[in-house]
Amino acid sequence: MVFDETELRLGLPGNIIGAAGKVTEVVVARKRGFSETESETDQTTTVDLKLNLSSKEGTADPVEKNKEKTLLLSDSGVKPPAKAQVVGWPPVRSFRKNMFAAQKSNKGLEESEKKSNTNPISFVKVSMDGAPYLRKVDLKMYKSYPELSDALAKMFNLFTNGIKDFMKESKVMDLLNSSDYVPTYEDKDGDWMLVGDVPWE
Amino acid sequence: MNYFPDEVIEHVFDYVVSHSDRNSLSLVCKSWYRIERFTRQRVFIGNCYSISPERLVERFPDLKSLTLKGKPHFADFSLVPHGWGGFVYPWIEALAKNKVGLEELRLKRMVVSDESLELLSRSFMNFKSLVLVSCEGFTTDGLAAVAANCRSLRELDLQENEVEDHKGQWLSCFPENCTSLVSLNFACLKGEINIGALERLVARSPNLKSLRLNRSVPVDALQRILMRAPQLMDLGIGSFFHDLNSDAYAKLKTTILKCTSITSLSGFLEIMDCIGDKGLGVVASTCKDLQELRVFPSAPFGNQGAVTEKGLVAISMGCRKLHSLLYFCHQMTNAALITVAKNCPNFIRFRLCILDATKPDPDTMQPLDEGFGAIVQSCKRLRRLSLSGQLTDQVFLYIGMYAEQLEMLSIAFAGESDKGMLYVLNGCKKLRKLEIRDCPFGDTALLTNIGKYETMRSLWMSSCEVTVGACKTLAKKMPSLNVEIFGEGEQADCYVEDGQRVEKMYLYRTVAGKREDAPEYVWTL
């Protein structure tokens, strides 16, 4: 299922999303949670939030941790590899990559052909700039744009007042006290998705 | 020195076969040099730019077999821009012009044009064997020329080449009276082939021992072909099987079992990491004689936890004869590497690739220095090593100290200072190829032990801290080296300032001087 063209992106005013290069950067920024997003966009920010509302208990991603460590220690200008950004890494010959891709796509084709006969699914991935995870929306559930818009507003109601509200400590404390950890998963595009949007079946 | 007539010495030299031994013979005295060069049949040239074709032909006029390697290894990972070099044509031209009786040509990472294949096919009447590995630049038209013109062809072995398919009938170009084939491998070809022509070719090749087909050969055709070649010893099928329960597969299995001489099969099982640690455990418990293993990543950054250190430890416990390993995984621990080192002290090649290149030991959050240190200390016959994971200068200290037989070392995203690289250059006596990417090694590392480079085949450094000025200094002090610098396909004259960091540097020893075929973006200092 490829929904790239139907992916919705909600951004703060002034944010430029769209050029192929930028999109990758945005993806990477999203994965790092609030603290790093802040430091990338606003040099004068002093609050180190580390909110990570979506953290999985106990399994703090060692990759993320390692990147932080390396970022701090490295003064030689050598950048640690960001995921999926490094030329020639992992060191697999493109000949072999294509071979495996061909094999996988054959398999994938068989499986998706089976599925498409049963349930035509119309889930669309929705991302909002600065949100720690993405959501999935079943377009079949909504009969009109206003309905969809309301639903999206409710989904992202934590964030509708913008990132700035998180600067208010009180609001942060409310959040930390009220919500438990939410379960998220990483999908094939490398995005963190809230569990539960797509029905189990 | 000579108490025997030349003919006797020649006869003795016939028994001396290995390249290094023959090289040693030629250094004993002038008359042995002379006798050796006229009796030399096989020559191996690890870097095609280390010597000129003319010089080769002049020294070894009786040459029968030539092996050539072209591009640096990291070209496999798209780090060498297109058009860098490694053209085989001048070699074939020189051999043809001087009427060398070439019978075998083995090429790796070279650019092979259809024109060169055509010239090859017409120039050497006794040509028997063509082996192309990781080459590019030719089409099925070139193969057609080889098939049509090489009357005594015994071996056509194409491994992982980029071949443009012109949908011709190259297989049909083998003449009807061509019955000499012993080995045929066209697994890397992407296009369709004439199945009938293949069947007829196999039927008239009683000496065919090795056959590797591509994906266009369907199961039923494969079955018919096998019926005609019961003497096969090595079989490679093209298609991957999805349905192991099908009739077609069952039929194929029966036919293969009838070929009683088959000792090796390929194409059935390519281990990708979706096999998981558990799957590797199964391999470990059943394949007791396993000597070589390659585990590739199925999805570079997805599939968390598919293959980890646990799989490797299982393999090391079950497969005690393992000597060559290429292992892609998501994580590795020092403890696991230490265990592996203890279980398998016989490693000759050990290549570990942790997909997250700077990942430490996830249990201890320590770098993997101790783990790799254990490997080099225990595996005294280790000749090739690839490192990954978080690594400090310490691992290089260990390598320099213990890896006495190490010939090839690949380093990426590792080390902390120039000391790391120097430990290796100062320590590994047998080092021939060193390739480094994205490490904090700079001018001091490059320039402290420059004599070392004359004892090595080549050094590759990309995205390190080496500057233009240092490369210039090196090139000036060492005229026996070619020092090439290049960027991302930009013009060579973008490197104006000495203090500028070099994106890519490749240096190699040579007696041929600066090469004439370098593209514009390569600057030979």
Side-chain angles (χ1 to χ4, degrees):
Chain A
M1 287 179 279
V2 177
F3 286 111
D4 290 315
E5 285 109 49
T6 50
E7 188 173 327
L8 288 179
R9 292 206 173 93
L10 308 175
L12 297 173
N15 260 352
I16 307 156
I17 307 169
K22 277 278 160 81
V23 168
T24 350
E25 279 173 70
V26 171
V27 169
V28 173
R30 230 183 274 130
K31 278 170 60 62
R32 287 182 187 171
F34 284 104
S35 58
E36 279 159 292
T37 320
E38 286 300 304
S39 57
E40 269 173 72
T41 53
D42 182 0
Q43 294 299 323
T44 61
T45 308
T46 53
V47 176
D48 191 6
L49 286 179
K50 293 229 188 319
L51 256 185
N52 222 346
L53 290 172
S54 60
S55 80
K56 298 174 190 176
E57 277 278 9
T59 56
D61 195 346
V63 172
E64 301 297 316
K65 265 203 184 152
N66 180 51
K67 273 203 210 103
E68 280 177 84
K69 265 198 198 158
T70 331
L71 278 169
L72 288 171
L73 295 175
S74 161
D75 55 0
S76 60
V78 176
K79 292 188 287 255
K83 277 189 175 182
Q85 305 266 19
V86 182
V87 174
W89 195 269
V92 180
R93 294 199 59 219
S94 53
F95 179 90
R96 199 169 290 277
K97 272 191 210 155
N98 295 338
M99 203 166 78
F100 287 158
Q103 192 198 8
K104 280 193 90 171
S105 66
N106 283 341
K107 275 203 178 147
L109 206 61
E110 287 167 21
E111 285 164 7
S112 66
E113 270 163 14
K114 282 184 212 154
K115 273 201 187 147
S116 64
N117 295 331
T118 52
N119 242 333
I121 302 168
S122 48
F123 277 98
V124 174
K125 204 195 274 191
V126 182
S127 64
M128 177 165 149
D129 230 24
Y133 50 82
L134 284 67
R135 302 294 302 269
K136 271 219 163 152
V137 167
D138 184 0
L139 289 180
K140 283 195 304 178
M141 306 288 279
Y142 308 103
K143 295 192 182 61
S144 66
Y145 281 116
E147 263 191 54
L148 175 63
S149 175
D150 279 341
L152 287 176
K154 283 205 195 95
M155 258 190 185
F156 287 99
N157 68 356
L158 286 177
F159 315 121
T160 45
N161 293 323
I163 300 274
K164 289 195 206 118
D165 276 3
F166 283 104
M167 304 312 292
K168 294 183 195 160
E169 225 185 77
S170 53
K171 218 172 176 162
V172 169
M173 294 316 291
D174 280 340
L175 274 164
L176 286 177
N177 289 332
S178 62
S179 59
D180 293 329
Y181 290 111
V182 296
T184 56
Y185 66 93
E186 192 179 342
D187 75 355
K188 63 174 164 57
D189 299 324
D191 294 315
W192 293 104
M193 311 292 304
L194 181 70
V195 167
D197 285 334
V198 181
W200 186 257
E201 297 79 35
Chain B
M1 185 72 191
N2 278 347
Y3 304 119
F4 303 107
D6 284 1
E7 296 79 34
V8 176
I9 298 179
E10 279 172 28
H11 192 63
V12 172
F13 281 10
D14 277 349
Y15 294 94
V16 182
V17 166
S18 87
H19 295 295
S20 54
D21 286 346
R22 297 239 35 161
N23 293 344
S24 305
L25 283 182
S26 66
L27 294 172
V28 168
C29 62
K30 279 206 183 116
S31 91
W32 277 35
Y33 177 90
R34 178 180 44 84
I35 297 169
E36 197 282 320
R37 66 178 265 250
F38 285 111
T39 57
R40 178 86 149 229
Q41 307 230 303
R42 314 179 65 87
V43 173
F44 169 87
I45 297 177
N47 172 12
C48 64
Y49 290 118
S50 60
I51 187 170
S52 71
E54 290 73 31
R55 184 106 176 241
L56 169 76
V57 166
E58 195 193 352
R59 181 168 169 192
F60 301 116
D62 211 35
L63 191 59
K64 299 256 181 319
S65 163
L66 177 62
T67 304
L68 283 169
K69 292 189 178 182
K71 296 186 218 167
H73 174 233
F74 276 175
D76 284 356
F77 317 128
S78 314
L79 290 181
V80 176
H82 185 77
W84 173 85
F87 307 104
V88 76
Y89 190 85
W91 294 89
I92 299 177
E93 195 183 27
L95 292 162
K97 207 158 69 168
N98 291 278
K99 305 214 191 321
V100 172
L102 191 71
E103 295 182 10
E104 177 179 79
L105 187 62
R106 309 168 73 93
L107 306 176
K108 186 166 186 179
R109 269 184 227 106
M110 293 203 65
V111 178
V112 180
S113 61
D114 283 346
E115 206 189 358
S116 39
L117 289 176
E118 277 154 32
L119 181 60
L120 173 76
S121 71
R122 285 185 278 111
S123 306
F124 310 108
M125 292 304 111
N126 280 333
F127 192 76
K128 296 189 172 68
S129 168
L130 180 63
V131 180
L132 303 178
V133 180
S134 304
C135 295
E136 52 157 354
F138 61 103
T139 76
T140 44
D141 294 347
L143 296 179
V146 171
N149 302 328
C150 299
R151 294 306 166 99
S152 335
L153 194 70
R154 288 196 201 154
E155 179 176 25
L156 179 60
D157 187 357
L158 308 171
Q159 298 176 33
E160 300 194 3
N161 303 290
E162 294 286 346
V163 186
E164 204 178 290
D165 203 299
H166 279 184
K167 308 222 184 318
Q169 297 282 336
W170 70 274
L171 255 182
S172 318
C173 293
F174 281 105
E176 288 303 314
N177 59 8
C178 171
T179 57
S180 48
L181 268 184
V182 174
S183 166
L184 178 63
N185 173 7
F186 58 90
C188 65
L189 295 187
K190 299 177 203 130
E192 305 278 315
I193 50 135
N194 185 326
I195 303 289
L198 175 62
E199 285 184 52
R200 288 192 296 277
L201 179 62
V202 170
R204 65 177 187 273
S205 304
N207 298 320
L208 192 67
K209 294 282 185 298
S210 170
L211 180 63
R212 293 185 180 213
L213 312 170
N214 74 350
R215 311 187 71 183
S216 72
V217 181
V219 181
D220 54 329
L222 177 57
Q223 213 238 331
R224 286 197 304 273
I225 288 165
L226 281 180
M227 300 281 272
R228 304 227 200 206
Q231 79 285 1
L232 266 185
M233 289 176 67
D234 171 48
L235 173 67
I237 62 147
S239 344
F240 294 106
F241 281 92
H242 295 306
D243 186 1
L244 297 178
N245 293 321
S246 64
D247 285 336
Y249 179 71
K251 247 170 113 181
L252 180 63
K253 216 165 99 174
T254 327
T255 316
I256 290 180
L257 289 172
K258 284 209 189 112
C259 299
T260 52
S261 41
I262 283 191
T263 57
S264 74
L265 292 171
S266 61
F268 283 95
L269 180 68
E270 284 275 349
I271 296 195
M272 295 188 338
D273 70 353
C274 39
I275 197 179
D277 285 335
K278 251 174 119 182
L280 287 174
V282 173
V283 171
S285 58
T286 47
C287 306
K288 293 296 175 194
D289 292 332
L290 194 66
Q291 294 179 37
E292 286 191 41
L293 177 65
R294 297 180 172 213
V295 182
F296 290 99
S298 56
F301 297 107
N303 218 357
Q304 284 287 352
V307 160
T308 69
E309 75 278 6
K310 298 187 177 57
L312 184 59
V313 170
I315 291 284
S316 77
M317 292 195 336
C319 309
R320 294 304 175 106
K321 294 191 187 170
L322 196 65
H323 61 62
S324 295
L325 177 71
L326 171 58
Y327 195 80
F328 285 83
C329 59
H330 286 82
Q331 62 181 46
M332 186 53 55
T333 64
N334 283 311
L337 284 173
I338 292 168
T339 306
V340 169
K342 233 187 308 200
N343 292 340
C344 295
N346 295 320
F347 271 121
I348 299 174
R349 296 173 202 93
F350 188 83
R351 295 154 70 189
L352 184 69
C353 180
I354 303 168
L355 294 174
D356 183 350
T358 55
K359 190 166 184 161
D361 179 331
D363 294 343
T364 62
M365 298 314 283
Q366 292 296 305
L368 293 177
D369 301 334
E370 297 306 310
F372 280 106
I375 294 283
V376 292
Q377 210 173 339
S378 163
C379 304
K380 304 212 188 297
R381 280 184 267 168
L382 194 69
R383 296 208 302 254
R384 182 170 180 184
L385 178 63
S386 300
L387 307 170
S388 60
Q390 189 181 52
L391 296 163
T392 71
D393 288 343
Q394 184 71 9
V395 70
F396 300 112
L397 174 66
Y398 290 142
I399 292 172
M401 259 169 50
Y402 296 114
E404 289 174 12
Q405 301 299 320
L406 194 67
E407 296 178 4
M408 181 170 178
L409 180 62
S410 310
I411 311 171
F413 305 102
E416 299 161 301
S417 76
D418 290 330
K419 282 202 282 199
M421 183 167 157
L422 286 171
Y423 288 142
V424 172
L425 290 176
N426 294 337
C428 301
K429 295 277 170 279
K430 297 233 180 139
L431 193 66
R432 291 191 293 114
K433 289 181 282 183
L434 180 57
E435 46 186 25
I436 305 171
R437 65 164 293 181
D438 293 275
C439 295
F441 304 142
D443 296 345
T444 309
L446 184 70
L447 294 176
T448 301
N449 185 358
I450 58 177
K452 178 72 174 174
Y453 304 132
E454 263 182 347
T455 70
M456 291 167 54
R457 183 187 300 172
S458 63
L459 168 67
W460 167 282
M461 292 180 76
S462 60
S463 304
C464 296
E465 301 296 316
V466 169
T467 66
V468 174
C471 293
K472 279 185 183 168
T473 307
L474 177 58
K476 198 157 172 207
K477 288 189 179 171
M478 301 287 286
S480 57
L481 302 178
N482 275 355
V483 181
E484 296 184 9
I485 63 178
F486 42 101
E488 296 300 320
E490 304 145 17
Q491 298 299 340
D493 58 6
C494 74
Y495 284 121
V496 170
E497 313 250 332
D498 277 4
Q500 205 175 340
R501 218 168 64 97
V502 168
E503 188 50 45
K504 289 170 185 168
M505 181 205 72
Y506 181 57
L507 66 82
Y508 49 90
R509 66 180 176 189
T510 180
V511 296
K514 182 176 163 169
R515 61 183 173 113
E516 305 282 302
D517 62 2
E520 279 190 351
Y521 59 79
V522 171
W523 185 14
T524 308
L525 298 167

